[in-house]
Short mmCIF file of all heavy atoms in Angstrom, two decimals:
data_model
loop_
_atom_site.label_atom_id
_atom_site.label_comp_id
_atom_site.label_asym_id
_atom_site.label_seq_id
_atom_site.Cartn_x
_atom_site.Cartn_y
_atom_site.Cartn_z
N PRO A 1 16.22 -7.74 -0.94
CA PRO A 1 16.00 -6.45 -1.64
C PRO A 1 16.75 -5.33 -0.91
O PRO A 1 16.72 -5.25 0.29
CB PRO A 1 14.48 -6.27 -1.56
CG PRO A 1 13.93 -7.65 -1.37
CD PRO A 1 14.97 -8.41 -0.57
N LEU A 2 17.39 -4.44 -1.70
CA LEU A 2 18.10 -3.34 -1.09
C LEU A 2 17.15 -2.25 -0.67
O LEU A 2 17.33 -1.61 0.35
CB LEU A 2 19.11 -2.78 -2.10
CG LEU A 2 19.94 -1.53 -1.68
CD1 LEU A 2 20.79 -1.90 -0.53
CD2 LEU A 2 20.79 -1.04 -2.84
N PHE A 3 16.08 -2.03 -1.43
CA PHE A 3 15.09 -0.99 -1.14
C PHE A 3 13.74 -1.64 -1.01
O PHE A 3 13.20 -2.15 -1.99
CB PHE A 3 15.09 0.05 -2.28
CG PHE A 3 14.11 1.16 -2.05
CD1 PHE A 3 14.31 2.15 -1.06
CD2 PHE A 3 12.94 1.27 -2.82
CE1 PHE A 3 13.44 3.15 -0.86
CE2 PHE A 3 12.04 2.29 -2.63
CZ PHE A 3 12.29 3.25 -1.65
N ASN A 4 13.19 -1.64 0.21
CA ASN A 4 11.99 -2.42 0.44
C ASN A 4 11.09 -1.75 1.48
O ASN A 4 10.89 -2.22 2.57
CB ASN A 4 12.37 -3.82 0.94
CG ASN A 4 11.26 -4.83 0.80
OD1 ASN A 4 10.26 -4.59 0.09
ND2 ASN A 4 11.33 -5.93 1.51
N PRO A 5 10.52 -0.59 1.13
CA PRO A 5 9.74 0.18 2.11
C PRO A 5 8.32 -0.40 2.29
O PRO A 5 7.89 -1.32 1.58
CB PRO A 5 9.64 1.56 1.44
CG PRO A 5 9.66 1.25 -0.02
CD PRO A 5 10.57 0.09 -0.15
N ILE A 6 7.60 0.15 3.25
CA ILE A 6 6.19 -0.17 3.46
C ILE A 6 5.33 0.48 2.41
O ILE A 6 5.47 1.69 2.14
CB ILE A 6 5.74 0.30 4.86
CG1 ILE A 6 6.52 -0.43 5.97
CG2 ILE A 6 4.22 0.09 5.03
CD1 ILE A 6 6.09 -1.91 6.15
N VAL A 7 4.42 -0.23 1.81
CA VAL A 7 3.36 0.32 0.97
C VAL A 7 2.03 -0.20 1.52
O VAL A 7 2.04 -0.92 2.53
CB VAL A 7 3.55 -0.09 -0.52
CG1 VAL A 7 4.80 0.57 -1.08
CG2 VAL A 7 3.64 -1.60 -0.71
N TYR A 8 0.94 0.17 0.87
CA TYR A 8 -0.38 -0.18 1.43
C TYR A 8 -1.29 -0.77 0.37
O TYR A 8 -1.29 -0.30 -0.77
CB TYR A 8 -0.99 1.06 2.10
CG TYR A 8 -0.16 1.60 3.20
CD1 TYR A 8 0.89 2.50 2.92
CD2 TYR A 8 -0.36 1.19 4.50
CE1 TYR A 8 1.71 2.96 3.93
CE2 TYR A 8 0.45 1.66 5.55
CZ TYR A 8 1.47 2.53 5.25
OH TYR A 8 2.27 2.97 6.27
N ILE A 9 -2.04 -1.79 0.76
CA ILE A 9 -3.04 -2.36 -0.11
C ILE A 9 -4.41 -2.32 0.57
O ILE A 9 -4.50 -1.94 1.72
CB ILE A 9 -2.68 -3.83 -0.46
CG1 ILE A 9 -2.58 -4.67 0.80
CG2 ILE A 9 -1.38 -3.90 -1.25
CD1 ILE A 9 -2.34 -6.15 0.59
N THR A 10 -5.46 -2.63 -0.17
CA THR A 10 -6.80 -2.67 0.40
C THR A 10 -7.34 -4.10 0.40
O THR A 10 -6.70 -5.05 -0.11
CB THR A 10 -7.74 -1.80 -0.48
OG1 THR A 10 -7.87 -2.37 -1.79
CG2 THR A 10 -7.23 -0.37 -0.62
N ASN A 11 -8.50 -4.25 1.03
CA ASN A 11 -9.08 -5.61 1.12
C ASN A 11 -9.50 -6.14 -0.24
O ASN A 11 -9.54 -7.37 -0.43
CB ASN A 11 -10.33 -5.55 2.01
CG ASN A 11 -9.93 -5.33 3.46
OD1 ASN A 11 -8.92 -5.80 3.92
ND2 ASN A 11 -10.75 -4.56 4.19
N THR A 12 -9.83 -5.24 -1.17
CA THR A 12 -10.40 -5.72 -2.43
C THR A 12 -9.59 -5.31 -3.71
O THR A 12 -9.81 -5.89 -4.76
CB THR A 12 -11.84 -5.20 -2.59
OG1 THR A 12 -11.83 -3.78 -2.51
CG2 THR A 12 -12.71 -5.77 -1.51
N GLY A 13 -8.72 -4.31 -3.58
CA GLY A 13 -8.06 -3.79 -4.76
C GLY A 13 -6.95 -4.63 -5.28
O GLY A 13 -6.50 -5.63 -4.68
N GLU A 14 -6.40 -4.24 -6.44
CA GLU A 14 -5.29 -4.93 -7.07
C GLU A 14 -4.05 -4.06 -7.25
O GLU A 14 -3.10 -4.42 -7.89
CB GLU A 14 -5.75 -5.43 -8.47
CG GLU A 14 -6.87 -6.42 -8.41
CD GLU A 14 -7.32 -6.90 -9.77
OE1 GLU A 14 -6.83 -6.30 -10.78
OE2 GLU A 14 -8.14 -7.85 -9.85
N LYS A 15 -4.11 -2.90 -6.58
CA LYS A 15 -2.99 -1.94 -6.59
C LYS A 15 -2.36 -1.77 -5.23
O LYS A 15 -3.03 -2.01 -4.23
CB LYS A 15 -3.46 -0.55 -7.12
CG LYS A 15 -4.26 -0.59 -8.41
CD LYS A 15 -3.34 -0.79 -9.61
CE LYS A 15 -4.17 -0.65 -10.92
NZ LYS A 15 -3.28 -0.81 -12.09
N TYR A 16 -1.09 -1.32 -5.20
CA TYR A 16 -0.52 -0.92 -3.92
C TYR A 16 -0.29 0.58 -3.99
O TYR A 16 -0.17 1.16 -5.03
CB TYR A 16 0.78 -1.69 -3.58
CG TYR A 16 1.97 -1.43 -4.50
CD1 TYR A 16 2.82 -0.34 -4.26
CD2 TYR A 16 2.28 -2.29 -5.56
CE1 TYR A 16 3.96 -0.14 -5.08
CE2 TYR A 16 3.38 -2.08 -6.35
CZ TYR A 16 4.21 -1.00 -6.11
OH TYR A 16 5.30 -0.79 -6.89
N HIS A 17 -0.30 1.23 -2.80
CA HIS A 17 -0.40 2.67 -2.70
C HIS A 17 0.59 3.25 -1.68
O HIS A 17 1.13 2.54 -0.83
CB HIS A 17 -1.82 3.09 -2.27
CG HIS A 17 -2.90 2.40 -3.06
ND1 HIS A 17 -3.52 3.03 -4.12
CD2 HIS A 17 -3.50 1.18 -2.91
CE1 HIS A 17 -4.46 2.20 -4.60
NE2 HIS A 17 -4.44 1.08 -3.88
N GLN A 18 0.71 4.62 -1.73
CA GLN A 18 1.35 5.32 -0.66
C GLN A 18 0.35 5.58 0.43
O GLN A 18 -0.85 5.52 0.20
CB GLN A 18 1.95 6.64 -1.15
CG GLN A 18 3.07 6.48 -2.18
CD GLN A 18 3.88 7.73 -2.36
OE1 GLN A 18 4.48 8.20 -1.43
NE2 GLN A 18 3.86 8.27 -3.57
N TYR A 19 0.81 5.95 1.66
CA TYR A 19 -0.08 6.06 2.81
C TYR A 19 -1.22 7.07 2.59
O TYR A 19 -2.31 6.86 3.03
CB TYR A 19 0.74 6.49 4.04
CG TYR A 19 -0.06 6.60 5.30
CD1 TYR A 19 -0.27 5.47 6.11
CD2 TYR A 19 -0.60 7.83 5.72
CE1 TYR A 19 -1.02 5.56 7.28
CE2 TYR A 19 -1.33 7.91 6.90
CZ TYR A 19 -1.56 6.80 7.66
OH TYR A 19 -2.28 6.88 8.81
N HIS A 20 -0.92 8.16 1.90
CA HIS A 20 -1.90 9.26 1.76
C HIS A 20 -2.87 9.06 0.59
O HIS A 20 -3.70 9.93 0.35
CB HIS A 20 -1.14 10.57 1.53
CG HIS A 20 -0.23 10.56 0.35
ND1 HIS A 20 -0.67 10.64 -0.96
CD2 HIS A 20 1.12 10.43 0.29
CE1 HIS A 20 0.36 10.60 -1.77
NE2 HIS A 20 1.45 10.46 -1.09
N CYS A 21 -2.82 7.95 -0.13
CA CYS A 21 -3.61 7.82 -1.32
C CYS A 21 -5.12 7.85 -1.04
O CYS A 21 -5.59 7.30 -0.04
CB CYS A 21 -3.29 6.47 -2.01
SG CYS A 21 -4.14 6.25 -3.61
N GLN A 22 -5.89 8.48 -1.91
CA GLN A 22 -7.32 8.64 -1.75
C GLN A 22 -8.06 7.28 -1.78
O GLN A 22 -9.19 7.18 -1.32
CB GLN A 22 -7.89 9.55 -2.85
CG GLN A 22 -7.68 9.01 -4.23
CD GLN A 22 -8.15 10.02 -5.32
OE1 GLN A 22 -8.67 11.05 -5.00
NE2 GLN A 22 -7.89 9.67 -6.57
N TYR A 23 -7.42 6.26 -2.39
CA TYR A 23 -8.11 5.00 -2.48
C TYR A 23 -7.94 4.12 -1.21
O TYR A 23 -8.37 2.99 -1.18
CB TYR A 23 -7.53 4.17 -3.67
CG TYR A 23 -7.92 4.85 -4.97
CD1 TYR A 23 -6.95 5.42 -5.79
CD2 TYR A 23 -9.26 4.87 -5.43
CE1 TYR A 23 -7.27 6.01 -7.01
CE2 TYR A 23 -9.59 5.48 -6.62
CZ TYR A 23 -8.62 6.06 -7.40
OH TYR A 23 -8.94 6.65 -8.61
N LEU A 24 -7.37 4.70 -0.13
CA LEU A 24 -7.16 3.96 1.10
C LEU A 24 -8.11 4.43 2.21
O LEU A 24 -7.86 4.22 3.40
CB LEU A 24 -5.71 4.11 1.59
CG LEU A 24 -4.66 3.55 0.67
CD1 LEU A 24 -3.25 3.87 1.23
CD2 LEU A 24 -4.79 2.04 0.51
N LEU A 25 -9.21 5.10 1.82
CA LEU A 25 -10.12 5.64 2.83
C LEU A 25 -10.84 4.57 3.65
O LEU A 25 -11.08 4.72 4.81
CB LEU A 25 -11.14 6.56 2.15
CG LEU A 25 -10.59 7.82 1.46
CD1 LEU A 25 -11.70 8.60 0.80
CD2 LEU A 25 -9.92 8.68 2.54
N GLU A 26 -11.13 3.43 3.02
CA GLU A 26 -11.92 2.37 3.68
C GLU A 26 -11.05 1.29 4.28
O GLU A 26 -11.42 0.68 5.30
CB GLU A 26 -12.92 1.78 2.73
CG GLU A 26 -13.99 2.76 2.24
CD GLU A 26 -15.06 2.07 1.42
OE1 GLU A 26 -14.98 0.86 1.27
OE2 GLU A 26 -15.96 2.80 0.94
N SER A 27 -9.89 1.04 3.72
CA SER A 27 -8.95 0.07 4.32
C SER A 27 -7.54 0.41 3.93
O SER A 27 -7.29 0.99 2.86
CB SER A 27 -9.30 -1.35 3.89
OG SER A 27 -9.12 -1.50 2.47
N ARG A 28 -6.61 0.14 4.84
CA ARG A 28 -5.21 0.48 4.62
C ARG A 28 -4.39 -0.60 5.30
O ARG A 28 -4.21 -0.61 6.49
CB ARG A 28 -4.86 1.85 5.18
CG ARG A 28 -3.43 2.28 4.98
CD ARG A 28 -3.11 3.59 5.62
NE ARG A 28 -3.71 4.75 4.99
CZ ARG A 28 -4.62 5.53 5.51
NH1 ARG A 28 -5.11 5.25 6.71
NH2 ARG A 28 -5.09 6.54 4.83
N ILE A 29 -3.87 -1.55 4.52
CA ILE A 29 -3.13 -2.71 5.03
C ILE A 29 -1.64 -2.53 4.70
O ILE A 29 -1.26 -2.50 3.53
CB ILE A 29 -3.67 -3.98 4.42
CG1 ILE A 29 -5.15 -4.14 4.68
CG2 ILE A 29 -2.87 -5.18 4.98
CD1 ILE A 29 -5.81 -5.24 3.89
N PRO A 30 -0.76 -2.41 5.70
CA PRO A 30 0.67 -2.25 5.45
C PRO A 30 1.31 -3.52 4.98
O PRO A 30 0.95 -4.61 5.39
CB PRO A 30 1.23 -1.83 6.79
CG PRO A 30 0.30 -2.43 7.82
CD PRO A 30 -1.07 -2.36 7.15
N ILE A 31 2.21 -3.43 4.00
CA ILE A 31 2.85 -4.59 3.45
C ILE A 31 4.22 -4.14 2.83
O ILE A 31 4.33 -3.00 2.43
CB ILE A 31 1.96 -5.23 2.33
CG1 ILE A 31 2.56 -6.55 1.84
CG2 ILE A 31 1.74 -4.28 1.20
CD1 ILE A 31 1.60 -7.29 0.88
N ARG A 32 5.21 -5.00 2.88
CA ARG A 32 6.46 -4.68 2.23
C ARG A 32 6.31 -4.61 0.70
O ARG A 32 5.53 -5.38 0.13
CB ARG A 32 7.51 -5.70 2.61
CG ARG A 32 8.12 -5.54 3.96
CD ARG A 32 9.08 -4.37 4.01
NE ARG A 32 9.35 -3.98 5.41
CZ ARG A 32 9.68 -2.78 5.76
NH1 ARG A 32 9.83 -1.83 4.88
NH2 ARG A 32 9.92 -2.53 7.05
N LEU A 33 7.03 -3.70 0.09
CA LEU A 33 6.97 -3.55 -1.37
C LEU A 33 7.27 -4.85 -2.08
O LEU A 33 6.60 -5.23 -3.04
CB LEU A 33 7.93 -2.46 -1.82
CG LEU A 33 8.13 -2.26 -3.30
CD1 LEU A 33 6.81 -1.90 -4.00
CD2 LEU A 33 9.14 -1.14 -3.56
N SER A 34 8.31 -5.57 -1.61
CA SER A 34 8.65 -6.84 -2.26
C SER A 34 7.56 -7.87 -2.18
O SER A 34 7.30 -8.62 -3.10
CB SER A 34 9.95 -7.40 -1.60
OG SER A 34 9.73 -7.67 -0.24
N GLU A 35 6.83 -7.86 -1.04
CA GLU A 35 5.75 -8.82 -0.88
C GLU A 35 4.58 -8.45 -1.80
O GLU A 35 3.90 -9.31 -2.35
CB GLU A 35 5.32 -8.87 0.58
CG GLU A 35 4.39 -10.02 0.91
CD GLU A 35 4.17 -10.20 2.38
OE1 GLU A 35 4.66 -9.39 3.16
OE2 GLU A 35 3.50 -11.18 2.76
#
């Protein structure tokens, strides 16, 4: 992938987020966008 930044997921959610997202208050797991 040419563009593959870090995004964030949670332990239980089905979405990926930016670092500052309000849905990351309880967990914030870094992951590559492609993954």
Side-chain angles (χ1 to χ4, degrees):
L2 179 62
F3 180 70
N4 198 17
I6 296 286
V7 293
Y8 299 85
I9 59 175
T10 65
N11 290 324
T12 57
E14 297 179 351
K15 308 284 186 180
Y16 66 85
H17 311 264
Q18 296 197 61
Y19 183 86
H20 57 76
C21 185
Q22 62 185 356
Y23 293 112
L24 297 176
L25 294 178
E26 295 186 2
S27 65
R28 181 185 287 114
I29 303 169
I31 186 173
R32 281 285 164 206
L33 174 58
S34 60
E35 192 170 5

